[in-house]
Amino acid sequence: MLRTQSQTRRRAVRSTTANACGLYPAVGAAGMDPRGVVIGREAYSGKAYIFDPFILYDPKARVRLPSGHVLVLGKSGHGKSALEKTYVLRQLRFRDRAFCVLDAQGEDGTGEWDGIARELGITPVRLVYGNADAVDGVRINPLDPRIPQEHQFKVLVSMVEIVTGGPLASTTRFALSEAHRTAVGAAGVQQRTVCLSDVLDALTAPRRALLGQQQVEPEELTAWGQPAALALDELCNPDRELAGLFDGPTTAGIDLDARLIIFDLTRLPREGEAMPLLMAVIGPWIRFGWIKPGDTVKRTLIVEEAWHILSHRPVARLFEELVRYGRRLGLSFWAVLHHLADLSLEEAPEAAAILKLTATRVLYHLDRDEAEVTADYLGLTAWARKALPDGANICAPGRAVWQVGARINLVEHIRTATEVRLTDTNRRMTERTGAEAGQVIAPMIPLRKGGTA
């Protein structure tokens, strides 16, 4: 039960600062800022724990954060998903908040956010592997006109590097650049949107180009661009596994002005190139299509299974730029991971940079070895290092170590009955009693475009 301020107020005791720490050794840490949304309660003091990265970025805040980015880490079943969902539901009460969620977990072909989407009257954007012409399939064009032309080329390079499995040679980059420029020009003459197949056509039937003052013949350009052409064939050829996701105009009806956008990625395979390819496309697509320069909306991008971003250098490069300019864009980036062991941070400086840019870390229960690695990397205090492996008591499900700037607290997440129903991911493994099944729960109000939840 949360205690109000009047209930926790005590008579003042005059003392010197030198003696105060000895007189009251067991007092919990002070709160950070009374503005924001309630997460739960600070475990040792019982006080409400309030958090909002945008408010804490304000120079007038009690705790000044250098960025609004958040890392959520911990084993399955200890509360990561519940925290993200309740945070979004509570933040939607603010008029100047918008969210985009990349939902990579779920069951029966739907993501974990499907229940919340239904309650709020939102249709998730579902990506269907290898068949964008299915009834609920969606195609996203990496060369969408909402993405500036120079950034389109960055996306192209990243996609080709993912398919080929390594960085492109300088000659291949040159051939791909010429093909992209030719494809954009040809599509403009025909007054239509340029697509990946246009670039593939230009790669395999190039025109003479200039490299400085040197003329490069079509035969030479064809040889230089062969690795990129083979990679694009994997994405454009209808007989290939990756066909259907990216080749063609973006599917109509995707509302990038909605207060909450959910991309359901659960039908994409976890292994292989499909997921990192989508991440490479969706980062710039969100940046230039979703984030509107000049408005006052504060936006939050939540990425489930964020190792798909951090473990692939071409994708990490694109997202590092997005995260690095988060202050200018009014963006809070949430990376959700199970543990850091999946990542080779020494071999991926872009991934390490993204993690370093997170000023808030929410750490749930971890195995002892993983807890030691995490504590060393994040510079946790001794008590937090000991707390993380204790999954039965200190870091039991729903409890997490919050490192917000220089402050570290043990926080117990609190949910309402409605939130418990909407955030429960253990339905298949648990049984509900008759009382729980018949419990009266307050309804959610559908989310209206431009309004509050």
Side-chain angles (χ1 to χ4, degrees):
M1 175 179 175
L2 290 174
R3 301 182 180 91
T4 64
Q5 186 175 0
S6 61
Q7 289 175 315
T8 59
R9 185 178 296 135
R10 299 291 183 268
R11 291 178 58 188
V13 177
R14 292 184 178 276
S15 174
T16 64
T17 54
N19 291 330
C21 59
L23 292 172
Y24 299 96
V27 174
M32 290 178 294
D33 199 287
R35 300 169 295 169
V37 296
V38 175
I39 300 297
R41 60 185 163 206
E42 205 276 326
Y44 295 124
S45 68
K47 295 167 61 176
Y49 193 83
I50 300 172
F51 176 75
D52 185 299
F54 299 107
I55 289 174
L56 295 180
Y57 184 77
D58 189 331
K60 298 179 181 178
R62 293 179 183 175
V63 177
R64 174 71 162 85
L65 291 182
S67 80
H69 307 312
V70 180
L71 170 66
V72 183
L73 198 65
K75 295 183 67 175
S76 296
H78 282 261
K80 298 191 304 297
S81 294
L83 171 67
E84 305 157 35
K85 294 168 186 172
T86 54
Y87 174 79
V88 170
L89 290 172
R90 295 170 189 181
Q91 281 278 10
L92 282 173
R93 298 289 178 176
F94 291 92
R95 290 186 179 275
D96 62 344
R97 298 290 192 268
F99 294 85
C100 180
V101 179
L102 306 188
D103 183 6
Q105 301 189 73
E107 56 189 24
D108 299 330
T110 58
E112 286 188 350
W113 289 75
D114 192 65
I116 290 177
R118 287 198 306 270
E119 291 283 341
L120 297 179
I122 295 170
T123 301
V125 180
R126 289 196 172 91
L127 279 298
V128 179
Y129 179 58
N131 184 14
D133 296 323
V135 175
D136 55 352
V138 170
R139 179 186 286 111
I140 295 180
N141 184 10
L143 306 180
D144 192 288
R146 283 172 283 199
I147 302 176
Q149 189 169 332
E150 63 273 16
H151 287 274
Q152 289 180 11
F153 181 68
K154 290 181 182 179
V155 175
L156 265 179
V157 170
S158 297
M159 296 179 74
V160 172
E161 286 181 344
I162 290 169
V163 176
T164 59
L168 297 184
S170 57
T171 52
T172 303
R173 287 179 67 99
F174 177 79
L176 183 60
S177 174
E178 287 296 312
H180 176 233
R181 184 174 59 82
T182 300
V184 170
V189 170
Q190 299 173 20
Q191 297 184 337
R192 61 176 180 82
T193 302
V194 63
C195 301
L196 286 184
S197 55
D198 298 323
V199 180
L200 177 59
D201 292 343
L203 270 172
T204 52
R207 297 181 298 186
R208 183 182 291 112
L210 280 177
L211 177 58
Q213 297 298 318
Q214 173 190 350
Q215 283 197 349
V216 183
E217 297 300 323
E219 295 78 12
E220 200 169 9
L221 278 175
T222 301
W224 289 0
Q226 192 72 4
L230 291 172
L232 291 182
D233 182 68
E234 294 291 328
L235 305 175
C236 301
N237 192 324
D239 296 328
R240 302 288 188 259
E241 288 186 353
L242 294 173
L245 279 174
F246 307 110
D247 183 35
T250 300
T251 303
I254 299 177
D255 183 11
L256 292 182
D257 294 322
R259 299 274 316 283
L260 174 60
I261 305 169
I262 299 174
F263 286 91
D264 187 341
L265 315 180
T266 54
R267 300 190 190 184
L268 297 180
R270 299 293 181 90
E271 306 300 329
E273 296 96 351
M275 190 71 79
L277 280 169
L278 178 68
M279 295 295 185
V281 174
I282 214 167
W285 201 70
I286 286 174
R287 173 181 174 183
F288 296 104
W290 179 50
I291 299 175
K292 307 295 191 299
D295 67 11
T296 60
V297 176
K298 307 295 188 296
R299 293 177 171 85
T300 301
L301 173 61
I302 297 177
V303 182
E304 303 268 11
E305 302 287 343
W307 64 272
H308 287 296
I309 291 174
L310 301 177
S311 61
H312 293 82
R313 289 197 66 182
V315 186
R317 282 200 302 267
L318 295 172
F319 271 84
E320 181 195 5
E321 184 177 354
L322 180 67
V323 172
R324 192 172 296 279
Y325 294 110
R327 295 179 300 172
R328 185 184 306 170
L329 301 172
L331 177 71
S332 173
F333 173 78
W334 287 47
V336 185
L337 298 165
H338 290 293
H339 42 72
L340 293 179
D342 287 336
L343 308 174
S344 300
L345 296 176
E346 295 80 7
E347 301 175 6
E350 297 88 357
I354 291 175
L355 294 182
K356 291 292 186 183
L357 288 169
T358 58
T360 300
R361 285 78 179 260
V362 184
L363 310 173
Y364 288 87
H365 168 57
L366 294 167
D367 291 333
R368 185 167 300 278
D369 291 343
E370 181 63 30
E372 290 294 326
V373 172
T374 303
D376 289 340
Y377 187 79
L378 299 180
L380 299 181
T381 58
W383 76 263
R385 182 186 296 264
K386 294 179 180 178
L388 291 179
D390 189 355
N393 297 296
I394 301 178
C395 279
R399 283 186 164 197
V401 174
W402 281 66
Q403 182 186 37
V404 182
R407 294 195 181 185
I408 301 181
N409 297 90
L410 181 63
V411 179
E412 182 179 351
H413 183 207
I414 297 177
R415 295 178 289 168
T416 66
T418 299
E419 290 171 340
V420 170
R421 174 174 62 87
L422 292 175
T423 62
D424 181 18
T425 57
N426 298 315
R427 289 186 296 272
R428 292 294 187 90
M429 293 295 293
T430 58
E431 296 184 8
R432 300 179 65 192
T433 65
E436 291 172 330
Q439 186 177 16
V440 178
I441 301 176
M444 293 289 292
I445 302 174
L447 191 65
R448 297 182 302 275
K449 184 174 179 180
T452 57

